[in-house]
Amino acid sequence: MGCLFEWRCRDCGAGESFLCGGGFSDFNPPDVVEQAKRGDLGSAMKVLLGNGIPDGWTVLRENSYYECPSCGEAVLGTSLKVDDGGNGWLEYHVVPEECPSCGESLQAGECMPPMSEEDLSARCEGFASAGCPKCGSKNVSVIRGSWD
C-alpha cells in the first residue's frame, strides 16, 4: 500500500509531492545489487547485498524523506526493507549526503530519522494554512491519496 501527500500553490505553482509506502514498488529491484556493490546504499548494505540478494530473501525499496535541519527542505532518501526469509523485516535508511537546496551535510552529527507520514501530512497542511512559502498566496491546495 502506498500513499501520496502533496501541497500545491494555485497561483505560482510551487509545491511538493511525497510518495510513501510500498505501492508501485517491485520486490528485489535489480538495480539495488549494483547500488550496494558501488556503496551507494552505505557500507552495511554493501556487505549484506553487494554479492546479490540471497535465495529466499526479499528486498523492498521505498521513499523516505528527511527534513534538513538548516533550511527545513524535505529531502528524498531511500528506505530498504529486507526479509531474510522468515525472521521479519530489517529496515535500513539511506540518508542523502547533503541537502540539494542549501548544501548542508545530512550525514554529520546525530542520527537523522525519516519524516513520518504524519509529519508529511502536517507539512502540507501547514503550507495550506500559512500560505505559499514562495509567493505568500493563501491559494494552496492539499491532496492526499492511497493505492495498492
Side-chain angles (χ1 to χ4, degrees):
M1 180 63 111
C3 61
L4 161 80
F5 301 98
E6 178 178 292
W7 71 270
R8 190 77 43 209
C9 177
R10 292 183 187 133
D11 292 334
C12 74
E16 297 174 303
S17 296
F18 306 105
L19 297 171
C20 305
F24 299 127
S25 297
D26 293 333
F27 288 103
N28 298 340
D31 62 329
V32 79
V33 173
E34 289 305 313
Q35 289 176 320
K37 280 182 189 176
R38 288 192 310 262
D40 297 348
L41 304 174
S43 58
M45 287 296 116
K46 186 172 188 173
V47 170
L48 193 62
L49 301 175
N51 292 323
I53 299 170
D55 288 341
W57 285 34
T58 304
V59 177
L60 178 65
R61 178 179 36 217
E62 297 179 354
N63 293 335
S64 20
Y65 299 91
Y66 302 87
E67 186 171 23
C68 175
S70 181
C71 71
E73 191 71 26
V75 180
L76 176 63
T78 300
S79 173
L80 293 175
K81 294 184 178 178
V82 180
D83 180 7
D84 67 0
N87 290 319
W89 292 92
L90 164 73
E91 189 165 358
Y92 181 78
H93 298 280
V94 182
V95 181
E97 290 188 24
E98 65 182 36
C99 175
S101 293
C102 72
E104 177 75 20
S105 172
L106 301 178
Q107 298 288 319
E110 304 265 332
C111 177
M112 191 170 192
M115 298 172 76
S116 68
E117 290 181 8
E118 291 81 15
D119 294 336
L120 295 169
S121 178
R123 180 180 180 90
C124 294
E125 290 295 335
F127 288 123
S129 176
C132 176
K134 184 176 177 183
C135 73
S137 170
K138 296 288 186 184
N139 196 10
V140 175
S141 63
V142 175
I143 300 169
R144 288 184 202 83
S146 60
W147 59 86
D148 286 334

